[in-house]
Amino acid sequence: MNLNKVKVVSIGDEYITFDNGVVLYSNHDSECCESHYLSLADLTIADFEGLEFDISNDNFFERIEGYGIALKPLNGHPVRIPGYGYNNGYYSSQLDLILKGDGFEKVYDISNCQVIEGYI
């Protein structure tokens, strides 16, 4: 499976899919009154036009504390993705970025990469 030069082919509400079938998404094990996620709602496929990514190593994204992440292409501009959360202080603010493909999964802690409302 090629991980060195991949392009984004689709964007859903909760995931990004690359041309090799690898999927990128955020995960938080939610409890009753809380939510933590990366917001892909404002992204379009045009945001990724002409961009290629090397997802074979951990340098394909940058953590932006208090905001979200930036996907760093091999060429062109980074694509910023905001992270949001709500927590009343009782629950966890854990947020993971997951890169999952056929036979592998990488999990990155991006808990500090979100704007959190409520009490932590």
Side-chain angles (χ1 to χ4, degrees), residues 91-104:
Y91 303 105
S92 168
S93 62
Q94 178 71 32
L95 182 61
D96 294 322
L97 179 67
I98 301 174
L99 189 64
K100 188 172 185 174
D102 189 24
F104 81 93

Side-chain angles (χ1 to χ4, degrees), residues 56-67:
S56 67
N57 61 58
D58 298 346
N59 295 323
F60 73 94
F61 80 101
E62 174 185 357
R63 290 173 176 87
I64 305 171
E65 189 171 333
Y67 173 78

Side-chain angles (χ1 to χ4, degrees), residues 18-37:
F18 295 97
D19 59 1
N20 63 352
V22 172
V23 177
L24 181 73
Y25 58 97
S26 64
N27 182 62
H28 172 75
D29 293 328
S30 293
E31 296 277 343
C32 164
C33 305
E34 47 125 19
S35 177
H36 300 273
Y37 61 95

